[in-house]
Amino acid sequence: MIKDEYLPLLKKVERPGRYTGGEYGCTYKDKNAVDLRMCFCFPDTYEIGMSNLGVKILMHCLNKLDYLWCERAYAPWDDMEKLLRENRLPLYALESGDPLGEFDIIAFTLQYELSYTNAVNMLDLAGIPWYASERGEDDPLIIGGGPCAYNPEPVADFFDLFSIGEGEEHLCEIAALYRECRKNGVKKADFLRLASHIKGTYVPSLYDISYNEDGTVRSITPKYEDVPAVVEKRIMSDLDRSPFPTEFEMPYIEAVHDRVTLEVFRGCIRGCRFCQAGMVYRPYREKSVDVLDECARRSIAATGYDEMSLASLSISDYSHIDELVDKLLTWTEKQKVGLSLPSMRIDAFYADLMKKVMSVRKSGLTFAPEAGTQRLRDVINKNVTEEEILRSCRMAFENGRQNVKLYFMNGLPTETDEDIAGIAKLAGSIIGEFGGKAVGVTVSVSCFVPKPFTPFQWEPQDTVEELQRKQQLLRGEIRSRKITYNYHTAEVSHLEGVFARGDRRLCKAVAEAVRRGQRFDSWDEFFSAENWHDIFASVGIDESFYANRRRDYGEVLPWDHISCGVSKRFLINESEKARRGETTPDCRTKCSACGANALGGERRCCR
Amino acid sequence: MLPVRVFFKKQGVAAYISHLDLQRTVFRAILRSGIRPCYTEGFNPHIKLAFAVSLSVYQESECEIFDFFSEDDLPYETITEKLRSAFPECLPVIRAAAPVRKASELALADYIVDLFTPLGADEIKAALSGSINVVKKSKKGDVLTDISPLIRSMRFEPFESGVRLFLRCACGSGEHLNLRYLTDFLGEKITDSRIVRTALLTADGETLE
């Protein structure tokens, strides 16, 4: 819980409930009775961090170790940051209230590129040296993980090691080794060398990076023979046996996702070519219906939530979705627990399932056609047709919905103005089809950001100007007042684009940004395109080199020494098929030999 | 359907959560406790539950009350035990019992207010004698209101960091004084304050049971 000396600050900040700790369900241990103290840091606000199931799962795994106590910390909002600095009070963990500098291990989850500045700023607020090379034997070990760790190079200098892939077992193995090393007086550098032998560990300081004259990476070489040339990600092979939390910290203030999140499967059978999650979480692995039902019951009983969301990448692809929903409904209805199924695929969406989940509470309906024309949907391998989209909307409206939300992207590879106009046309035909009723369509368009480990990792991102031109073009094409049009700020996506495929030289831009006070870059309140241009210019970084340049297949990519299980050959093949406008069937229909099956796994679709 | 009145404290870090957050926390704690509460009928069912009175953020209490209904006829001791285990540490349940008086009979509340100040009890007393005009925000705009008639009694005592006030004032759905107005009124005279509600009373001065 927050310590007394911090309490006077709480009357001067927005939402003081972010900073108190003391939530129901927290794990407390005797700090003098454990060998290792760890803090899990979420580099964004409390409300966002508390919504993250991954953090809950990992903390559960770590706190099961009797020699370790794992606590939580979040990025303070700028009002609190200012007060902490003015009063020279360090950032603290919510359970013990102790400053982060006193911990042995600090783990950051890197969920999105725009939280990098927050992560480094949190180190600063804790009085911990930013750079791994500047930290001594007594400073905490700084670990990174999460989806951005698949290309951790833009923040590599700040971390001692990265956990690649699913961390349930890996983090515990790292903790065990660290404990052992500390007991025996092993120096941090030697520990890191030993840690690199544990599968899934990437220690940036153990690799030399050289560059070509044109600025591209020439080579990534381990400094020692025993350090793996390629770090392979970790997976949990049997999700039914994977640890699932039995206790949950219950926020006093409202979290962004304030409900039970039930993870149904990992991976995705679809293979949309823009989607990093769909590639890096392969192979597709399911939990069984009985285990899910048990987890759901336990979670509801332990939290008192009256809402549960079945979360996975494309929930209707679960091979027993009907059976699962029926089983859950046998008790959720009685207990007035509402079920929501986000991320339904349009093609698999059907009335029965929808009617079932609507029985307790209504929630919004969102579909993601992603592109406005069939041609472009084929390029990105989003295998849905206009007919399917219209049919799903009809069912939604016939079942009493008044609004559907459609997600699109602009800036996709090969996109033409015709594809942009197609978005307006598609929304228009939905309105046209159901025009007699008071229905509305919300069109939400984000800007495509090419990501590592996708078939589009070699593609140039559209420039900010081009993205903005397309956004205005679409605005002009939308005629009906029943269509609400939202779009993302192109500059934000551009910044994301720079970092997503960045290399180690971007660390200095992150550091300079933190020095200049950039934080919360994913928040409109704080994002500043101008500041970022200045920052890049001041450290000699050419943004377009990272965001808007086409790479060829032969180029050494900054993340080539990391493996998510999907082979480069498969990605090249998919990239070629995209250019030809050819689709690839889902993994269940036909294996496309991506290579992830080599990682193993129970209840998966690949053999 | 069993009517249940729950007496609980709001202390420590719970002082930093709003009434809305408190409500949500209480709903969830009831559901965690395993007691089956009665729900409102209707399109969007929710637990039938009413707080006797709200308490502002930054304020603590020894004596908060909410009423709800249990589907099952359980002994109140059992309900108390179940609730105790499901509430967070800073919202300890004192007991659950059958309501004696109606919650709407609530008319007064006692408070202890610690004023952190270099001033003495006499100076604070002088500042609070006579009318206490504060700006109340309302839908019609800001209104200057004298809150002194809402204060029924006031006693001053020095303590190590300033002055301790023992107050009885109007509380409930009729006349009501939020003590934030009092500390706001003192403004620069105090550096900080701690407000603790110590009793909820009916108009005749009886504790609301």
Side-chain angles (χ1 to χ4, degrees):
Chain A
M1 228 177 278
I2 187 167
K3 289 191 172 162
D4 287 351
E5 59 263 38
Y6 290 82
L7 288 176
L9 312 190
L10 294 189
K11 285 194 180 173
K12 300 175 189 161
V13 297
E14 256 178 65
R15 303 200 210 186
R18 286 168 167 168
Y19 310 108
T20 58
E23 303 96 325
Y24 178 87
C26 288
T27 304
Y28 295 106
K29 295 190 183 185
D30 176 359
K31 66 179 176 188
N32 300 313
V34 293
D35 295 338
L36 280 182
R37 294 188 65 191
M38 186 163 171
C39 187
F40 225 102
C41 292
F42 196 98
D44 210 315
T45 62
Y46 175 87
E47 295 92 314
I48 296 178
M50 282 295 277
S51 306
N52 189 286
L53 178 65
V55 172
K56 291 182 206 240
I57 293 174
L58 294 175
M59 287 197 47
H60 168 72
C61 294
L62 290 160
N63 275 324
K64 276 203 303 191
L65 305 172
D66 54 8
Y67 60 82
L68 184 150
W69 182 16
C70 185
E71 308 181 34
R72 294 162 299 142
Y74 304 89
W77 197 244
D78 71 329
D79 52 359
M80 185 64 165
E81 172 176 350
K82 203 163 152 263
L83 289 167
L84 288 171
R85 290 189 189 280
E86 276 173 15
N87 292 280
R88 296 177 184 279
L89 289 168
L91 188 62
Y92 55 92
L94 287 181
E95 278 79 1
S96 63
D98 288 335
L100 295 193
E102 291 179 14
F103 283 72
D104 302 303
I105 303 176
I106 291 180
F108 282 94
T109 175
L110 302 171
Q111 297 283 322
Y112 25 85
E113 294 83 0
L114 300 187
S115 65
Y116 290 165
T117 50
N118 278 0
V120 177
N121 191 43
M122 284 172 81
L123 291 181
D124 193 64
L125 279 166
I128 298 168
W130 300 2
Y131 290 96
S133 58
E134 290 173 357
R135 287 192 291 266
E137 295 296 323
D138 293 333
D139 288 314
L141 183 76
I142 311 293
I143 299 183
C148 286
Y150 285 102
N151 175 23
E153 292 305 289
V155 284
D157 290 348
F158 309 113
F159 287 85
D160 294 302
L161 67 86
F162 289 96
S163 175
I164 308 295
E166 295 165 13
E168 286 97 328
E169 292 167 344
H170 183 253
L171 287 178
C172 295
E173 290 164 23
I174 290 290
L177 178 68
Y178 197 51
R179 177 193 188 211
E180 202 53 39
C181 285
R182 293 245 313 227
K183 251 187 205 158
N184 300 321
V186 176
K187 291 255 186 278
K188 205 182 248 176
D190 298 323
F191 155 76
L192 289 171
R193 181 89 170 264
L194 289 170
S196 77
H197 302 162
I198 298 176
K199 189 181 165 187
T201 315
Y202 171 48
V203 180
S205 59
L206 294 179
Y207 296 79
D208 282 321
I209 319 276
S210 65
Y211 300 93
N212 295 309
E213 266 175 29
D214 63 1
T216 56
V217 175
R218 182 201 294 274
S219 65
I220 305 162
T221 335
K223 288 182 179 163
Y224 309 99
E225 256 181 23
D226 56 311
V227 174
V230 173
V231 177
E232 221 175 80
K233 80 162 178 201
R234 293 288 291 267
I235 64 160
M236 296 301 288
S237 57
D238 188 348
L239 291 192
D240 272 359
R241 291 164 195 269
S242 284
F244 193 77
T246 41
E247 281 182 30
F248 298 84
E249 298 90 12
M250 295 296 295
Y252 291 115
I253 62 169
E254 202 170 7
V256 176
H257 296 286
D258 217 6
R259 59 185 77 94
V260 167
T261 309
L262 193 64
E263 185 190 29
V264 178
F265 56 83
R266 288 186 189 170
C268 180
I269 62 170
R270 295 291 162 175
C272 299
R273 290 174 183 140
F274 55 84
C275 180
Q276 188 188 39
M279 297 292 161
V280 299
Y281 296 137
R282 289 179 179 212
Y284 176 89
R285 287 147 293 148
E286 293 187 339
K287 286 191 179 186
S288 60
V289 172
D290 289 340
V291 169
L292 286 167
D293 186 57
E294 176 62 24
C295 288
R297 285 171 190 268
R298 268 185 7 214
S299 303
I300 291 289
T303 59
Y305 277 127
D306 61 0
E307 224 186 309
M308 180 162 54
S309 161
L310 307 190
S312 281
L313 286 173
S314 168
I315 191 65
S316 42
D317 284 334
Y318 180 53
S319 56
H320 300 88
I321 186 70
D322 266 328
E323 197 191 324
L324 174 65
V325 169
D326 285 341
K327 190 153 191 168
L328 293 174
L329 285 171
T330 58
W331 58 273
T332 53
E333 279 195 315
K334 260 181 253 159
Q335 294 190 28
K336 309 269 193 302
V337 171
L339 282 187
S340 58
L341 279 71
S343 72
M344 295 265 265
R345 264 184 74 86
I346 294 170
D347 55 356
F349 181 77
Y350 50 98
D352 273 1
L353 194 54
M354 192 179 77
K355 275 183 202 156
K356 275 181 198 169
V357 300
M358 269 177 48
S359 50
V360 179
R361 262 175 219 92
K362 275 199 180 189
S363 56
L365 269 186
T366 307
F367 305 118
E370 311 289 4
T373 60
Q374 196 57 49
R375 185 200 70 79
L376 193 52
R377 283 197 293 273
D378 287 347
V379 168
I380 62 175
N381 204 38
K382 186 89 192 181
N383 293 325
V384 292
T385 63
E386 178 155 346
E387 250 168 73
E388 285 166 333
I389 297 165
L390 289 175
R391 197 177 61 212
S392 304
C393 291
R394 174 177 302 122
M395 282 174 186
F397 292 133
E398 280 173 357
N399 284 289
R401 306 295 171 119
Q402 262 121 44
N403 197 298
V404 294
K405 193 170 179 183
L406 302 178
Y407 279 157
F408 294 94
M409 272 188 272
N410 70 25
L412 287 163
T414 77
E415 184 179 61
T416 63
D417 287 359
E418 205 177 307
D419 297 310
I420 300 287
I423 295 175
K425 231 162 119 188
L426 180 60
S429 50
I430 293 166
I431 295 289
E433 191 104 337
F434 313 101
K437 294 182 185 170
V439 297
V441 174
T442 302
V443 170
S444 193
V445 186
S446 62
C447 307
F448 171 62
V449 179
K451 297 268 176 156
F453 298 107
T454 65
F456 292 156
Q457 64 179 351
W458 295 277
E459 296 290 329
Q461 185 182 20
D462 269 357
T463 60
V464 170
E465 294 71 32
E466 178 65 358
L467 289 168
Q468 285 169 339
R469 186 191 67 81
K470 287 175 174 174
Q471 287 171 341
Q472 291 316 312
L473 178 71
L474 179 52
R475 175 177 295 277
E477 293 287 332
I478 290 172
R479 314 252 186 260
S480 170
R481 281 193 186 171
K482 291 176 175 174
I483 301 173
T484 311
Y485 171 41
N486 305 318
Y487 54 89
H488 286 202
T489 314
E491 282 109 340
V492 173
S493 305
H494 167 77
L495 184 62
E496 219 180 309
V498 172
F499 280 114
R501 292 183 294 171
D503 56 38
R504 218 174 260 200
R505 290 169 296 187
L506 286 177
C507 292
K508 53 181 188 278
V510 174
E512 182 58 21
V514 176
R515 232 171 267 131
R516 294 189 187 198
Q518 270 317 118
R519 352 228 162 280
F520 289 104
D521 293 299
S522 55
W523 294 75
D524 288 345
E525 294 94 318
F526 297 100
F527 178 78
S528 163
E530 215 174 287
N531 284 0
W532 272 103
H533 291 319
D534 284 351
I535 289 160
F536 285 124
S538 75
V539 295
I541 296 279
D542 171 13
E543 298 161 56
S544 65
F545 174 83
Y546 293 99
N548 312 120
R549 182 174 60 91
R550 176 178 295 285
R551 284 87 164 148
D552 53 55
Y553 296 139
E555 182 176 328
V556 176
L557 300 169
W559 52 92
D560 269 353
H561 55 312
I562 310 274
S563 165
C564 71
V566 172
S567 71
K568 205 172 205 178
R569 205 187 51 208
F570 166 76
L571 295 177
I572 292 173
N573 191 24
E574 281 295 295
S575 165
E576 286 298 307
K577 284 173 90 174
R579 287 182 192 182
R580 296 194 299 267
E582 286 174 24
T583 59
T584 297
D586 67 76
C587 302
R588 211 168 264 150
T589 306
K590 185 174 177 291
C591 175
S592 50
C594 70
N597 63 330
L599 295 165
E602 300 294 318
R603 288 172 303 285
R604 57 194 175 133
C605 59
C606 43
R607 285 285 170 263
Chain B
M1 199 169 81
L2 181 76
V4 183
R5 175 160 295 172
V6 179
F7 301 84
F8 69 103
K9 297 182 187 184
K10 182 171 180 263
Q11 60 190 25
V13 297
Y16 299 95
I17 63 170
S18 67
H19 187 65
L20 204 67
D21 292 333
L22 175 69
Q23 276 180 320
R24 211 175 15 241
T25 301
V26 164
F27 285 143
R28 286 176 190 157
I30 290 174
L31 293 174
R32 282 197 298 267
S33 75
I35 297 165
R36 295 194 306 143
C38 296
Y39 283 81
T40 57
E41 316 268 324
F43 196 69
N44 196 356
H46 55 267
I47 298 174
K48 264 191 214 175
L49 187 147
F51 284 82
V53 64
S54 68
L55 186 67
S56 280
V57 66
Y58 306 135
Q59 301 185 15
E60 296 167 70
S61 175
E62 303 280 322
C63 56
E64 291 306 281
I65 290 176
F66 66 83
D67 293 338
F68 77 106
F69 298 91
S70 163
E71 280 281 0
D72 306 299
D73 238 343
L74 300 167
Y76 286 107
E77 297 78 50
T78 310
I79 294 178
T80 305
E81 283 314 306
K82 281 176 183 278
L83 290 175
R84 265 185 198 152
S85 64
F87 271 65
E89 214 183 297
C90 57
L91 295 170
V93 170
I94 304 164
R95 67 197 164 94
V100 180
R101 310 273 291 257
K102 277 188 198 158
S104 57
E105 288 184 59
L106 173 70
L108 297 166
D110 286 343
Y111 295 86
I112 295 178
V113 181
D114 285 346
L115 302 171
F116 296 83
T117 173
L119 303 179
D122 289 345
E123 287 161 285
I124 293 293
K125 191 174 178 178
L128 294 177
S129 62
S131 50
I132 304 172
N133 290 315
V134 300
V135 178
K136 278 195 177 181
K137 289 197 190 303
S138 76
K139 279 173 195 155
K140 291 171 196 156
D142 296 351
V143 191
L144 198 66
T145 319
D146 179 13
I147 57 168
S148 65
L150 299 175
I151 301 173
R152 305 288 188 257
S153 70
M154 210 169 1
R155 191 156 59 78
F156 301 82
E157 250 179 38
F159 80 110
E160 64 269 30
S161 315
V163 180
R164 179 163 293 162
L165 247 62
F166 297 84
L167 279 156
R168 176 165 293 184
C169 42
C171 178
S173 50
E175 285 187 314
H176 181 80
L177 175 62
N178 184 339
L179 284 180
R180 186 171 51 83
Y181 287 113
L182 190 86
T183 51
D184 283 355
F185 175 77
L186 290 169
E188 301 282 294
K189 291 189 179 68
I190 57 171
T191 54
D192 199 2
S193 61
R194 180 171 176 228
I195 301 170
V196 183
R197 184 141 74 196
T198 53
L200 293 175
L201 312 157
T202 59
D204 48 22
E206 297 284 316
T207 309
L208 187 69
E209 290 290 345

